[in-house]
Amino acid sequence: MKSRIASRIAATIVALEALVVLSLAGIQVVEIAKGNTASITSAVALIVLTIIIGAGMVAFAWGLLTEQTWARSGGIVTQLMALAIALGAVTGQYAHPAIAAAIAVPAIIALVAISKASKQTAVAERQERAAAEAAEAAEGDQAADA
């Protein structure tokens, strides 16, 4: 199916983003071990939240790879959140345009790939339905002729 390429691109990007998020959780654990936290409770809560988000992104990546419809909405929301983070990274006193671009470019590519995969899947499903209806109609005509 043509949508496989777009689905694979989207799944790969979301999976790589998940890897980055889960790596951030690892960095947070190291910072706790070094004692670089003002509040252990807040740091642990942030780590747990980061791991949950990363696990969700892994699930979305798997769902996109296997062309599950539920994964598209999660993938889209994840990319929109990435774009919001990129906007924050490019504005303000401590703006970092390169970091913003590194976040925004994959998010835009993933959004386009998810959209394309969705459209291609919808076209394929319509074609399959039309073929099934045509086959059913042909069977009905053969039964009427007999």
Side-chain angles (χ1 to χ4, degrees):
M1 209 182 269
K2 288 183 180 180
S3 64
R4 296 293 298 165
I5 294 171
S7 295
R8 286 180 182 167
I9 291 169
T12 300
I13 292 171
V14 174
L16 290 172
E17 291 170 339
L19 183 63
V20 170
V21 169
L22 293 171
S23 296
L24 288 174
I27 291 169
Q28 293 167 351
V29 169
V30 170
E31 292 302 314
I32 286 178
K34 287 182 178 179
N36 293 337
T37 58
S39 168
I40 297 288
T41 307
S42 294
V44 170
L46 183 60
I47 290 168
V48 170
L49 183 59
T50 304
I51 291 170
I52 290 169
I53 291 168
M57 292 175 72
V58 168
F60 294 143
W62 179 254
L64 288 167
L65 186 63
T66 58
E67 298 184 339
Q68 303 296 314
T69 56
W70 59 264
R72 291 183 202 138
S73 58
I76 289 170
V77 169
T78 302
Q79 300 319 304
L80 292 176
M81 295 303 293
L83 288 173
I85 292 168
L87 178 63
V90 79
T91 59
Q93 183 178 357
Y94 302 103
H96 294 285
I99 291 173
I103 295 169
V105 170
I108 292 168
I109 293 169
L111 281 170
V112 170
I114 292 168
S115 175
K116 186 171 181 93
S118 179
K119 288 176 186 175
Q120 290 174 339
T121 300
V123 167
E125 287 173 357
R126 278 195 299 269
Q127 290 172 344
E128 288 173 11
R129 259 194 316 270
E133 289 172 1
E136 191 175 292
E139 286 176 9
D141 290 344
Q142 287 177 352
D145 290 341

